[in-house]
Structure formats: structure tokens, C-alpha cells
Amino acid sequence: MAGRDDTHDDDEDAALFRAAIGPVRELPATPAPPERPRPRPRARMAERDEAQAREDFRLGRGEGFSIERGDVLSHRREQVPPRTLKRLSQGLYAAQDELDLHHSDAATAEILLRRFLGEARDAGYGCVRVVHGKGINSDDSLPVLKNVVDRILRHRADVLAFHSAPPAQGGTGAVLVLLARR
């Protein structure tokens, strides 16, 4: 019977509570918060392809960047006479500084080369040598560092001409670079 008294006490308590509170009315329903806008659809595959193409370009891989291990690097701006490029190829310009990129990965080599060329130009050097190696230890068939060096040198405004070094100065594993004066 103790259970019945508890139920009776609960009912009395509820009745007392309702009497004390008085009549209640239901609150109006609040509208649901607006949904967050859905993100715009993206072309993820196109973004991935674009990122891969940029990385291939940065590393010197892909179409137009297929310099092989034994290939000679050679380039001159239009304002540079062909005779100057020939003299550069024969090693007749003394390299005033040298950068060795052996054992660098492509990203590090790019940073080092850009910094080296800027410092060489600021120092007033006219000719420098960049040792990139022949690419014997490259994972794929193309020498990665050689392609990176070629691409960077071709796109720098302060590089007048460059040519693979003569055999006594590194051959196709190094390049002599003529820099514009400050």
C-alpha cells in the first residue's frame, strides 16, 4: 500500500502545482533556423589535373620538358650574339661562382638556384656555373634537376645565355650561365 500513497501524493502535488501556476497556454512553434547554404559544386577532377600540370611544369616534366641525360643545355636571348654563346660553350668565360645541386630534390634545387642567381647578380658576377648532375640517380628516365635548371634559366630575365659546360668543367652535368649586369 505504500505504493498507492506515493501515487496519491504525486497526484496531489501535481494538482497543487497546477492551481498555483494557473491556466497555461502553449507557446507558438518557433520556425526552424534557416539551413546553411550548400557549398557550390566544384570540379575536383579538373582542379586535381590543373594542380598536377602545375607540379609537372614546376618540376620540368611533361611536354616540352624532355631533356635527356646526355643532352646539351643551350639557350641565348636575342640580344646576345651567337658568337658569345659559342665562346660560353667552349668555356672561355671564367665562372666567378658555383652552385652544386647534387642530392637536392626538385623543390629545394629550385629555391637554391633562384637564391644563388639573385645573389650572383647582386654581387656583379657575369658568369656562374651550376652543377646539376647528369641525372643518373633520377627515378624516372629524365634527369629531374637538369630539367628544372633548364626551365628556370629560360624564364629568368637576368639570364642572358647558358650552355652546358665543356667536359673539363662538368660537361652535360653542369651549365655555364651568363648574367645581365645590375
Side-chain angles (χ1 to χ4, degrees):
M1 282 221 178
R4 282 183 130 188
D5 288 335
D6 287 340
T7 305
H8 182 56
D9 288 342
D10 289 341
D11 290 341
E12 279 182 23
D13 288 344
L16 283 172
F17 177 76
R18 279 191 210 98
I21 296 297
V24 286
R25 61 182 162 78
E26 194 172 322
L27 292 174
T30 58
E35 287 187 27
R36 288 178 43 175
R38 292 191 174 159
R40 298 179 73 189
R42 291 181 10 216
R44 286 190 196 105
M45 291 300 285
E47 288 173 1
R48 255 187 255 143
D49 290 346
E50 182 69 24
Q52 183 63 46
R54 272 195 216 104
E55 183 68 9
D56 287 346
F57 177 77
R58 195 177 73 71
L59 297 177
R61 297 187 302 226
E63 233 176 271
F65 297 104
S66 58
I67 297 170
E68 299 289 331
R69 288 189 175 110
D71 290 349
V72 172
L73 299 183
S74 181
H75 177 76
R76 71 175 174 84
R77 301 252 179 247
E78 286 184 25
Q79 70 263 28
V80 176
R83 193 179 98 193
T84 302
L85 183 64
K86 183 172 179 159
R87 291 174 52 103
L88 186 65
S89 72
Q90 295 169 341
L92 297 178
Y93 292 98
Q96 295 166 294
D97 202 357
E98 178 177 285
L99 172 67
D100 190 347
L101 296 174
H102 277 108
H103 307 294
S104 298
D105 64 353
T108 305
E110 183 174 355
I111 292 167
L112 291 172
L113 180 58
R114 289 182 191 280
R115 185 180 309 143
F116 172 73
L117 292 173
E119 290 171 359
R121 184 166 182 239
D122 290 344
Y125 296 155
C127 181
V128 294
R129 180 176 28 253
V130 177
V131 180
H132 48 70
K134 295 185 180 185
I136 295 170
N137 297 322
S138 291
D139 291 338
D140 50 4
S141 63
L142 296 177
V144 175
L145 294 180
K146 188 173 189 174
N147 279 280
V148 168
V149 167
D150 181 71
R151 180 185 52 80
I152 290 171
L153 293 178
R154 285 179 189 273
H155 289 96
R156 285 191 61 109
D158 57 351
V159 173
L160 297 175
F162 62 89
H163 197 285
S164 289
Q169 295 182 28
T172 57
V175 63
L176 295 174
V177 183
L178 274 183
L179 296 172
R181 298 279 180 210
R182 279 194 306 171

